[in-house]
Amino acid sequence: MELFLFVVFSLITLVSAGAVVWHPHPVKSALFLIVSFFAMGGLYLLMQAEFIALMQVLVYAGAVMVLFLFVIMLLNLKPRGEDRSAFRKRLRWAVPLILVFVGAALTAVTSPLARLGPAAGQGAAWVESQGGNVRAVGRALFTRAFLPFEVTSIVLLVAVVGVIVLAKKERR
Amino acid sequence: MEPLSFPLLSTLVFLPLVGVLVLLFVDRENHAVQRWTALTVMSGGFVLALFVYAGFDPGTVAFQFEEKHTWIPGLGISYHVGIDGISLLLVMLTAFLGPICVLACWTDIRVRLKEFLVCLLFLQTGMLGVFVSLDLILFYIFWEVMLIPMALLILMWGHPARRIYAAVKFFLYTMAGSVLMLVGILVLYFYQARTTGTASFDWTTMAGLSLPFSLQLWLFLAFGLAFAIKVPMFPFHTWLPDAHTEAPTVGSVVLAAVLLKMGTYGFLRFNLPLFPDASVFFMPLMVALALVGIIYGAFMCLVQKDLKRLIAFSSVSHLGFVILGIFSFTVQGVQGGVLQMINHGLSTGALFLLVGMLYERRHTRMIADFGGLSTPVPTFTTFFMIATLASIGLPGLNGFVGEFLILLGTFHVKPVWAVLGATGVILAAWYMLWMVQRVFYGTVTHAENATLRDLVPREIGLLVPVVAMMVWIGVAPTSFLQKSEPAVQHVLKNVQESVRTAQGRSTPWMMACAAWEHLKGK
Amino acid sequence: MSALTVLYECQGIVPALILSATGVVILLLDAFSPLGRKGRLGAVAVTGTVFALGSLAVAPSGAEFFHGMVVWDRFSVFLSAVLMVGALLVFFLSFDPLRRSGLECGEYYALVLFATTGMILMVQAAHFIMLFLGLEIFSIAIYILVGMPRHEKRANEAALKYVLLGGFASGFLLYGLTFIYGATGSLSMSVMAAQLGKADAVFNSYLLFGSALVLAGFAFKLALVPFHLWTPDVYEGAPTPITAYMAVGVKAAVFGALVRTFWVALPTVHPHWAVFFWALAAVTMTVGNLMALAQESVKRMLAFSSIAHAGYLFVAVVADSKEGLTALLVYLLAYTVMNVGAFGVMVAVQNRQESGERLEDFRGLSSRSPFLAAFMALFLFSLAGIPPTAGFVGKFMVFSAAVQSGYTWLVIIAVINSVIAAYYYLRVVIMVYRPGEEAAAEDPASEAARLSAGERGALFGAGALTAVVGLWPNAFWDLARQAVHVLF
Amino acid sequence: MAVPVHYYIIVSALLFAVGVLGVLTRRNAIVIFMSIELMLNAGNLSFVAFSKALEGLDGQLFVFFVMVVAAAEVTVGLAIIVTLYRNWKTIFVDEVRLLKG
Amino acid sequence: METAWVIPALPFAGFLINGLWGRRLAKKFVGWIACGAMGLAFLSALRLFWILLQEAPSLRFWEPVYYTWIRVGDFHADVSFLIDPLSMVMILVVTGVGFLIHVYSVGYMHEDPGYARYFAYLNLFASAMLVLVMANNLLLMFVGWEGVGLCSYLLIGFWYEKRSASDAGKKAFIVNRIGDFGFLLGIFLTFWTFGSLNFREIFQAAVAGFSAGDAVLAGITLLLFVGAMGKSAQIPLYVWLPDAMEGPTPVSALIHAATMVTAGVYMVARCSVLYALAPFSMGFVAMIGCTTAVFAASIGLVQNDIKRVLAYSTVSQLGYMFLGCGVGAFVAGIFHLMTHAFFKALLFLGAGSVIHALSGEQDIQRMGGLRAKLPVTFATFLMGSLAIAGIFPFAGFFSKDEILFETLMSGHGVLYALALGGAALTAFYMFRLVFLTFFGESRLDPHAAHHVHEAPKTMAVPLMILAALSLTGGWIQLPGIEGGRVFGRFLEPVFHEATAILGHHGAAHPPLWLEGALMGVSVAVALAGIFAAYRWYIKDPQRPVRMAQRFSRAYRWLFHKYYVDELYQAAIVDPLKQAAETTHQWVDRRLIDGAVDGTGSVFRSLSGAVRRIQTGLVHHYALSVLAGACLLVLFVMAL
């Protein structure tokens, strides 16, 4: 069952990701991206990472994608389609390299030398004892990861300031 | 060696920088004050140098007037200066030419005089520093520092046509050579650190090392390339004619008189004492290059149309003699080489001064633009003649003593080298006298030349000391030779030792093998 | 975490706190200051940075804070100091151009402060989460700063290229981190190191694959060849002070992180890479120098030269020794001051005439402003590594360390490269000192008096440091040596 | 039966590759951005997978921060694209070529 | 004896005074200073001579040492003189004849604007020559050796505005340099062989350590002789001397007679011990000398320039001197040197007088019939010609005859015959000169003719004195008087070592009748030469023209001096210049400098190539990042 779900979610993820890359129209790419993100959320759920799955849907499929669509609409791009021959020309160089890269990655993953690090002892049982994944992660965010959590405020502040600076009206 | 209470050498080296500081506060337009400041500083330097000369004890091979302060202790770099007989003479030469250079540019430089003098003073510090440094890094720093003012002199006050090309060529070519020396210094340093456990860039500790032959070969090449370019030895000489031609008068004088000596000095100070076996090994090559340089330089002189270019090529030839002498590994040869450094500084310096004076009057240096100058400018002609004669080695003037000793020493090693070297003397007479003939003899062919002004008292005043020195060295060279003799003997000690032990090692095959061994050893 | 604990732990991030707080203060002040009076915001930024710099005087404990997220040791102190010196000089540089272009706003200073905060956090990071966050903070801030002149097409282009490629490279970095995480079971550097201490742990394909991608991510930020192609375009399009900031700040921070990653977290991995590092260093400096050779834009030339300098810096990494890392730190300091100095002169030239980027704009600078010309010569000669300047000291130490580790041939390549480099620096010097229009010659002293406060601060500051590091490097060497000590 | 960890990793590698492919081939800056998001997500996926396999939460924590950062980056990136569009009237990266050489 | 230094110092002081301030001094003072310096030097030399004579013959040498000139390692050379009979003879000749030439110059150069310069050079010349002859070591000798070379350069090119003059000066210096090159090498070899350059030490060491025929000694002597060939104008380095007449005529007199050219002969005589130990070199010297004597004489036959004829005669006479030295008759060589100094000075000064009278005309084809107009000149010139032709009892007869005699006695029959033939030629060309100049119809330019005037007293008096010396100079070697051969006995202490080594037959004098008979032969040959000249140039003036036409090829060869100058020009000078030009263009500019600049352009073009990867396209940049990552990953995977 789990494997089945894994295959389904994975296929949806990868196929719609491929569609994002392949589809000439940006709006449709964006829509495919949403599909891909949702499917990925499913994969997260499969791995009992509920918190991340939630965030995935909220942040990515929600906020980020709205932003994408918003900008696409804002710019109101004329339907100048992609020049497919140029696209194919770029493929000529990109594909072999990517294949090399994927090959290397697959080798790394399947290699007998691939060994996982030691378990941290925070398995399902432990998570359960903490009151579930969401609670466990939340607790960690306010203890161990307190500093990065606070630092994200700077990240967001920078982003906010940046958008204001870049997009605000002319003074003159 | 008891430490001297007064840091005479440091004062001597950095006095020009004090002059630079003073100059910074002088009004831009106030040329007179600028000139006098520079002259005072340079003369002060010469006076200090005289004190050094007077206090120098020729009876010892140890370095004198030593000063040593830690500078970058973490890296084993110290501020260590001191002189022996060889550097004494070169320091004297440099200090002696300082005031003369200032006098020489008295009226020549009209634009940006202040900057010019600043460059000149910087240059003086750099050159003196090179000759007194006993720390390899200190030496390297002075060596490189000097490039900048010299390049600026060529660039800003040179002759418009090709000065940029010449300045860049000078700068890059010399730098290309010296960076490899830096690598060599580092390798030497770490070899020392590995083998002795203590590490320092101090010359005196380096000199105590006995390096493996293969390492010596590489280091000799690394140091030697830097020096060979500076000298310049054939075939690394092509920057010299360009630099000389484009440089302002004083630039040429300093370049010829002192800068080139840094190369030959380097061979004496570093290559021979530190890499004696490699020196012996490379001796045939060096001698061959020196001989080619002597003859080739002379040949090139025959076809030059520009006075400065001609004198520049004659420098190639003359410095070939110096190298020949140094690599004869005989006392006579090396002493001759040392003396010839001074001689070349005086005679070629004087020639450049004179050509500069001519240029100031006529704004051309082409031989074809002159002819018959003897009539309008007899005093000038006389001085030029004396400098020419000194340059071609007339007995009684300085050049002869140097060349004679060099050839004498060389003859001992291999007569045929001396024979080839001596042909340079014949050729020198040919090209120099031919040049003199074309410039000074015959009838005045260009109307502008007929009304040329003869030398003014200032010019005579600056030439007379130079001529006096030429005569002094020509007539009584012993007073100078005896200062450097102990140092030269000391330098030769190691080399002569390896000459004795290195019989039959000098084949290209051996060289390749040794070099390969070294690479494999890494 | 209780408030007291948090306060206690905050002693580990004092400079970052001061800097970010200053940034926030500036944003607030900006909102309340009238249009014409934005100039004082710069003063606030400078003050804050000076305070942060002053806070470094407190001896670092070497302890980890916030559950091993950051570490406050001499290494962080040294690099933080370098970063803040760079930021300070950039502030000075920015006053005039901002006023001129009407970009004057609090956000600019705040973003630089935030970026510096990010950099400092990155070099302090003892945990990859912090490292990643620091990296992203300054990256995002710089994306914005690059694009700030919104009406300039070139700035738009630069920002776009930077943000796209930066994201792309972040992807690689992140992806690499996941594998390292998989192989070691932790993202904390000390835990990783302990885990990798076990025999043979290094031959783990996850680990190797991951570390390769992490290195690629760093290499992108450091502009090592072949990850460097964005650099010249972005540097050229960005406002000049930001270019200076990017060139020096990012390098210092990323080198710091790189050193922490490979010496603290993965100490057993990088020795296997010696050959690759070697090649990377050699190719980087050679390509950088070759590309710089034929540039007609000084700004672009300096961009390529920064690639070459990354190569020289990487030689220190190749050396893989205490001496090498010491040299790396000293070189970073030297590079920061001299490079900001060179850009500073360019800014000053831009302040005086329409453009100051092309080689042609520097023609005869020595007669127009001998003072600027002298500074330009100083910085360029320093970049070229001519003694007795900071650049020479840095190069010397780096080469020395490499020779000590037996990389003599690499050093030979490096010195040959520095000759090539000397050529293009010299081209600028020649342009500057080229005699030409003598008419407007003026006295350096009076010219110096007419420099604006910002120019004076930046040029004198950078010039003095260039000279001081060049002439008395020992103190800096000692500090760097102690800083590196904590890594071994 | 539980799905082995490296299945997830393989999926993430493929996803990463698809993202890379997008960056390398598309000329629309926004789509390139989307592809970058795919790459980041691939990283997230493998983080979570490792996190599960290692029975630790560090990976998930990291993913959280990546999401924040990604969101911030997207925001800024899109702002940059908007300003670019104002001046250039295009968001096709191969038409934005003032700087080169 | 310590005061011997004043002899060279006096003219040197004169040089300094006239050289530094001469232009501002009155001409009268200049002349006085120069002549005074030389006169005082001559007086000092006489005094020295007198003191020398007081010593016993075997003790007649002094070596005053003044200071160490050069000292390096085990090498040292002193400034120190060697006063012995040989150098004494030379000192007297140099100062005496030199003084006369100075006096003569006062008149001759009176109109010249470079008057002071001229006298300065002249004094310097004398000074250098004195250093040369007085030196007690080879190196100091070399100083004088080069010094006279320099002065000849300055004086020959004195009229520097004339192209030919400056050319000749340069040629003199350079050809001399070639000789000096050999001399210098000889010095080196000497030092490394004997460890010293001091004459007496060398000779002692040579006698003690080497047997006759040693190759090293042959090397030394041959190298030194190369120097002599240059200085004393022997084949193949004689070419400068005929051109040397471009200088003012008194200068020619000085160069050709008293100084400079005799240096080589003096040097060979000075090193007689070494030469005696090197038979091969001796033979070489004799052969070169003899060949030169005949060769130069043959050229002299057809030259039309009065000074040029004299110049070739000098070359020829120097050949005789070397012949003498080469056969071991050093005394004869020196003796001929001395008498030659008298009559050649006389001849040149006489020629100068003629030229002076004719306002610069030098072509004897355009002279003639001057006997009446220039009686003093004619008389003295004739005496000089008789002397050089070797007519009894003129000085030349004794010296030349002694050389011929010794040549035959030492068994060199062929050389004797050649030398005898040379003597005939000498008589012929000298009297050709006399006849064409002073006899026959005047072929002068009409308007030059009435300017002709006899020389002033300053010129005439030296001529007369020299004429007297040319007559009497040979008598001091007369066998009969005062125990006979005074000159030879005076020099004996110098040469006795060499003589001893050679085992010379001179010890046993040949029968007087043989000597007498040979004398007769010589005189007869000379008279035959004179008679032939008479027949050709007085009796039948058209004959030379006919002969020239009949043997036109031979005539042309002779007239063009065997084309030696042209040969040197075409075989050495031009190829060298051409080679230099080619090397400069191709090797220096294109190859070496091309390599330097080429390095630069290689980097620049590389730069251009590398720049092309900077396309400005995000795709390419990203691709490159990916490629880099792939490389990294592959590298890692390969681990």
Side-chain angles (χ1 to χ4, degrees), chain A residues 108 115 117 166 168 170-171, chain C residues 35 104 150-151 182-183 204-205:
Chain A
R115 289 186 307 266
L166 291 174
K168 71 180 165 189
E170 280 312 298
R171 268 199 294 247
Chain C
L35 261 182
E104 200 165 37
R150 293 175 288 171
H151 303 289
N204 180 334
S205 61

Side-chain angles (χ1 to χ4, degrees), chain B residues 4 25 29 37 48-49 99-100 119 127 166 174 181 221 237 265 280 291 330 341 344 356 362 381 393 444 477 501:
Chain B
L4 219 74
F25 296 100
E29 302 305 323
T37 309
L48 279 179
I100 289 174
C119 280
M127 295 184 304
T174 348
M181 176 168 73
L221 287 176
H237 64 274
Y265 171 78
V280 174
L291 288 173
T330 57
M341 291 189 216
H344 177 259
R362 264 294 262 117
T381 310
V444 177
T501 55

Side-chain angles (χ1 to χ4, degrees), chain C residues 219-276:
Chain C
F220 174 85
K221 291 286 176 197
L222 292 176
L224 301 180
V225 175
F227 306 92
H228 69 289
L229 288 166
W230 60 277
T231 324
D233 293 3
V234 175
Y235 280 22
E236 193 186 351
T240 311
I242 295 306
T243 310
Y245 185 61
M246 256 195 292
V248 300
V250 174
K251 269 201 185 68
V254 177
F255 263 112
L258 179 99
V259 168
R260 279 218 199 269
T261 306
F262 286 100
W263 268 262
V264 176
L266 312 170
T268 46
V269 174
H270 69 270
H272 297 280
W273 288 11
V275 181
F276 199 86

